[in-house]
């Protein structure tokens, strides 16, 4: 995360901190020439903080401007780093969420979903509101990990020579996915335990037929719990700095993709949107994030209904009826009374009135 922080420092934060937290000034004996030719006044000079620039990466870096040396909180100040990382984490999460979810909604999401009997009244505004409430709190919980990374406590490396070797530059990717997928499977399955489901994970299962905007619509602690393996990984295994940034971005994109309702991939290994739709409909299956491996080993795998891959049938009344009947039975067992307000029912009641 230090390479990201360096970029934000260079183009944004250096100037902001120099403006709002300027370096303290002393009265240096540098005279100013008066009008009569005598040195009669002193010029106030800022004290330069004891900070020297060291690039976050030898592969790619941004040279600092003078603003980097003009704040009482230099770049290596722990309070500045904490505040900056919090802003980055919060804003990055919001920007990626809105860009990816909006693009998916416009170009991928099937709007026929609005007619599904289990689509909620005002669902998209509710999904966005839940996300905007969750992101700031999730950022608070995430920042300590980023701060430890920036201050050199993780196993992240810059160049190949600094890591295990060229072979690991490639191996780190499948290792990352296998490790995080395994951990998230058990965390996600644990969140469905009756003792904590209603207080934490139920909020995300409010969306029975999710839209792309449901991707980050969690209880903050639920969302953070499922992101924890991503943050723990670079403290256990080596991870190249730029690979980490790419993986962290991809995770957020993938989270949107598995909620977009476009069932393009009927894979027995990849836990795509179809598999995750089964999880939102039937609650007790397909807890994995990227693959179905751990669901298969854990006995919780349920293959997607074949109808989901046939456009005419996946949005047909027969398939929806099957989904609704089983979903309502499971909701009764898991949650008790269903308190959701569905759009189709609201429209029907309005017509009756």
């Amino acid at each position: 995360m230090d390479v990201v922080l360096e970029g934000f420092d260079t183009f944004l934060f250096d100037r902001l901190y120099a403006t709002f937290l300027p370096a303290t000034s002393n009265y240096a004996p540098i005279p100013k020439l008066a009008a009569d030719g005598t040195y009669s006044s002193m010029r106030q000079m800022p004290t330069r903080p004891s900070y020297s620039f060291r690039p976050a990466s030898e592969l790619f870096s941004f040279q600092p401007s003078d603003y980097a040396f003009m704040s009482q909180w230099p770049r290596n100040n722990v309070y500045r780093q904490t505040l900056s990382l919090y802003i980055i984490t919060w804003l990055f999460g919001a920007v990626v969420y809105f860009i990816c979810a909006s693009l998916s909604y416009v170009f991928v999401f099937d709007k026929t979903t609005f007619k599904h009997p289990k689509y909620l009244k005002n669902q998209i505004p509710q999904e966005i509101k839940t996300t905007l409430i969750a992101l700031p709190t999730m950022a608070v919980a995430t920042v300590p990990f980023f701060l430890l990374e920036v201050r050199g406590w993780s196993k992240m490396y810059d160049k190949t020579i600094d890591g295990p070797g060229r072979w690991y530059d490639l191996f780190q990717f499948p290792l990352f996915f296998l490790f995080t997928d395994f951990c998230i499977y058990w965390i996600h399955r644990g969140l469905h335990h009756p003792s904590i489901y209603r207080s934490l994970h139920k909020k995300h299962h409010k969306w029975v037929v999710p839209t792309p905007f449901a991707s980050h619509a969690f209880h903050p602690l639920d969302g953070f719990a499922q992101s924890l393996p991503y943050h723990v990984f670079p403290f256990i295994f080596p991870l190249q700095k730029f690979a980490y940034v790419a993986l962290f971005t991809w995770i957020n994109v993938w989270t949107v993709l598995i909620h977009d309702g476009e069932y393009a991939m009927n894979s027995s290994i990849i836990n795509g949107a179809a598999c995750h739709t089964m999880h939102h409909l039937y609650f007790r299956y397909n807890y994995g994030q990227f693959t179905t491996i751990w669901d298969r080993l854990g006995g919780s795998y349920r293959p997607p209904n074949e109808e989901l891959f046939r456009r005419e049938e996946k949005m047909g009344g027969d398939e929806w009826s099957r989904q609704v009947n089983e979903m309502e039975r499971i909701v009764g067992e898991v949650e008790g009374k269903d308190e959701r307000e569905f759009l189709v029912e609201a429209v029907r009641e309005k017509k009756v009135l």
Side-chain angles (χ1 to χ4, degrees):
M1 204 64 179
D2 54 356
V3 293
V4 175
L5 181 59
E6 181 183 291
F8 273 88
D9 277 336
T10 303
F11 297 106
L12 178 63
F13 291 134
D14 284 340
R15 184 162 191 157
L16 288 177
Y17 285 111
T19 301
F20 295 103
L21 286 169
T24 55
S25 299
N26 66 344
Y27 288 90
I30 302 177
K32 181 180 179 182
L33 186 64
D36 59 1
T38 63
Y39 292 97
S40 58
S41 62
M42 295 294 181
R43 182 171 52 183
Q44 204 174 33
M45 297 296 292
T47 300
R48 194 180 183 95
S50 57
Y51 163 71
S52 58
F53 173 68
R54 181 180 178 183
S57 170
E58 294 183 27
L59 300 174
F60 182 80
S61 66
F62 302 98
Q63 287 299 314
S65 67
D66 290 342
Y67 288 112
F69 308 95
M70 295 170 61
S71 172
Q72 58 184 279
W73 277 11
R75 286 188 178 187
N76 58 358
N77 180 283
V78 66
Y79 301 111
R80 167 173 168 164
Q81 290 175 336
T82 301
L83 178 58
S84 298
L85 287 169
Y86 175 74
I87 294 171
I88 293 170
T89 305
W90 183 2
L91 293 181
F92 178 84
V95 168
V96 172
Y97 165 72
F98 277 110
I99 290 177
C100 294
S102 298
L103 289 174
S104 178
Y105 175 79
V106 172
F107 297 107
V108 179
F109 180 66
D110 192 332
K111 311 305 186 292
T112 311
T113 302
F114 297 151
K115 299 178 182 178
H116 194 287
K118 294 303 177 183
Y119 182 81
L120 302 185
K121 181 181 179 181
N122 299 320
Q123 179 167 318
I124 290 179
Q126 290 185 64
E127 292 169 339
I128 293 174
K129 180 180 178 180
T130 301
T131 301
L132 293 180
I133 292 173
L135 287 178
T137 305
M138 290 171 62
V140 169
T142 302
V143 163
F145 292 92
F146 287 160
L147 184 64
L148 290 172
E149 293 168 11
V150 167
R151 299 187 74 84
W153 291 95
S154 72
K155 294 188 176 183
M156 285 199 283
Y157 65 94
D158 185 25
K159 298 178 295 182
T160 299
I161 194 173
D162 303 322
R166 191 171 298 279
W167 64 274
Y168 190 83
D169 288 345
L170 296 176
F171 180 69
Q172 63 184 329
F173 292 100
L175 177 61
F176 178 88
F177 286 117
L178 286 173
F179 172 82
T180 56
D181 194 40
F182 171 78
C183 294
I184 292 171
Y185 170 81
W186 288 108
I187 291 171
H188 190 179
R189 187 164 185 168
L191 287 164
H192 277 263
H193 191 277
S195 62
I196 58 175
Y197 171 79
R198 295 188 182 211
S199 58
L200 288 181
H201 197 51
K202 181 181 177 181
K203 184 179 288 289
H204 186 62
H205 271 277
K206 182 177 182 178
W207 333 114
V208 179
V209 282
T211 78
F213 293 100
S215 57
H216 292 67
F218 290 92
H219 184 290
L221 295 181
D222 177 6
F224 172 70
Q226 295 195 62
S227 71
L228 195 56
Y230 306 133
H231 307 307
V232 169
F233 183 90
F235 293 92
I236 301 175
F237 304 100
L239 186 61
Q240 204 278 332
K241 291 180 178 183
F242 290 100
Y244 180 67
V245 175
L247 287 167
F248 190 75
T249 303
W250 170 247
I251 289 161
N252 284 273
V253 174
W254 179 257
T255 304
V256 172
L257 293 178
I258 61 176
H259 290 88
D260 66 12
E262 180 57 38
Y263 314 125
M265 184 181 299
N266 187 8
S267 171
S268 59
I269 299 297
I270 304 299
N271 185 55
C275 281
H276 200 65
T277 291
M278 302 301 285
H279 177 72
H280 274 267
L281 282 170
Y282 308 127
F283 295 72
R284 296 168 171 166
Y285 310 95
N286 302 349
Y287 299 107
Q289 180 74 355
F290 302 114
T291 76
T292 63
I293 295 173
W294 313 115
D295 280 296
R296 291 174 181 277
L297 295 175
S300 55
Y301 175 65
R302 175 168 174 167
N305 299 343
E306 287 296 326
E307 290 81 4
L308 295 182
F309 301 98
R310 295 193 284 269
R311 176 69 180 80
E312 299 77 11
E313 296 182 36
K314 78 170 184 176
M315 293 298 180
D318 292 341
E319 174 62 14
W320 283 355
S321 295
R322 284 192 292 270
Q323 293 174 2
V324 168
N325 290 336
E326 185 172 0
M327 173 265 176
E328 288 180 344
R329 176 181 60 80
I330 295 175
V331 166
E333 297 171 358
V334 174
E335 299 182 357
K337 182 181 178 180
D338 192 349
E339 300 173 346
R340 298 171 180 82
E341 186 178 1
F342 301 105
L343 179 61
V344 171
E345 293 177 359
V347 171
R348 187 184 301 123
E349 291 174 1
K350 186 176 181 179
K351 287 182 178 179
V352 171
L353 295 174

